[in-house]
Amino acid sequence: MAQVRPMRADARRNRERLLAVAAEAFAEHGEGASLDDIARRAGVGTLYRHFPTRQALLEAAYLERLEAIAARADVIAAARPPGAALMAWLDELAVGMLQVRGLKALLGTAVTGGGPACGDCVSGAATRLVRAAQEAGALRADVEPVEVLRLLHGVVTAAEAADEVDGTAVRRYLSLLMEGLGQGLGPGQGLGQRPGQV
């Protein structure tokens, strides 16, 4: 089996510089940021040696952020009941997708099929929270985790159409969505509350 050669120090520095500049460019211009401008600002001749496609660069630039989002699921789950934990994590994810340009596009491909492997950590976190909420009777049993993520993507798209930036509209839309997915919940009842509970 062929051995993978370690990356040379200068190549590693170039890659790190490209990722730093790419993160800034995507934050400023979204996923459509010019790759040539990114390479020029990073001071490298080409970025294709490190990242053959725009998608590959986008994935690498947001990998740490996605891993942090996924890790938050376990922190929240340890502190709240399952239904409330799912709602709180989805809220954080939705606001992040709204405020961090490029993140929504990346996660969109991850949940619509054939998406990047870097979205696996977020999908895994969603699966854990959804299954826990279902076992607690706070979420319909026929709902799949990927469906929740796809619906969340739609919520963020709707909030963008409303020119939303601070999270107010996205939280309202998310609340309405989750009331619909709740197990026997009526309007105004949060996930994890049974009918008749205050």
Side-chain angles (χ1 to χ4, degrees):
M1 183 179 0
Q3 290 185 329
V4 177
R5 291 167 47 184
M7 190 179 293
R8 293 193 335 245
D10 59 339
R12 187 169 56 251
R13 284 192 299 271
N14 284 346
R15 186 178 190 279
E16 290 170 355
R17 192 159 55 246
L18 275 170
L19 286 176
V21 171
E24 292 175 1
F26 289 138
E28 184 178 353
H29 303 291
E31 67 273 16
S34 166
L35 301 187
D36 290 337
D37 284 348
I38 290 172
R40 186 166 50 254
R41 286 167 57 185
V44 300
T46 178
L47 56 75
Y48 297 103
R49 183 179 299 114
H50 300 278
F51 307 103
T53 65
R54 177 183 300 277
Q55 185 71 18
L57 179 59
L58 192 63
E59 290 174 29
Y62 284 120
L63 178 60
E64 287 186 7
R65 187 179 293 272
L66 290 175
E67 289 174 341
I69 289 170
R72 281 288 297 157
D74 296 324
V75 174
I76 294 170
R80 302 188 183 201
L86 174 61
M87 182 70 174
W89 182 74
L90 290 174
D91 177 84
E92 289 191 13
L93 178 56
V95 172
M97 290 167 67
L98 187 65
Q99 295 179 344
V100 180
R101 298 183 69 178
L103 186 58
K104 174 173 160 275
L106 178 58
L107 285 175
T109 61
V111 300
T112 54
C118 71
D120 289 350
C121 60
V122 173
S123 297
T127 297
R128 293 192 299 277
L129 292 176
V130 165
R131 296 305 182 213
Q134 289 171 326
E135 289 172 9
L139 190 69
R140 287 172 44 165
D142 62 342
V143 176
E144 292 299 323
V146 70
E147 292 176 315
V148 174
L149 289 176
R150 287 172 181 167
L151 289 167
L152 183 70
H153 194 269
V155 163
V156 175
T157 300
E160 286 178 332
D163 207 19
E164 160 77 357
V165 291
D166 67 356
T168 303
V170 81
R171 288 187 177 100
R172 172 167 168 72
Y173 301 157
L174 179 59
S175 176
L176 293 170
L177 168 66
M178 298 313 289
E179 283 175 3
L181 295 178
Q183 182 76 299
L185 298 179
Q189 294 176 313
L191 279 178
Q193 284 184 297
R194 300 286 190 172
Q197 282 187 324
V198 178

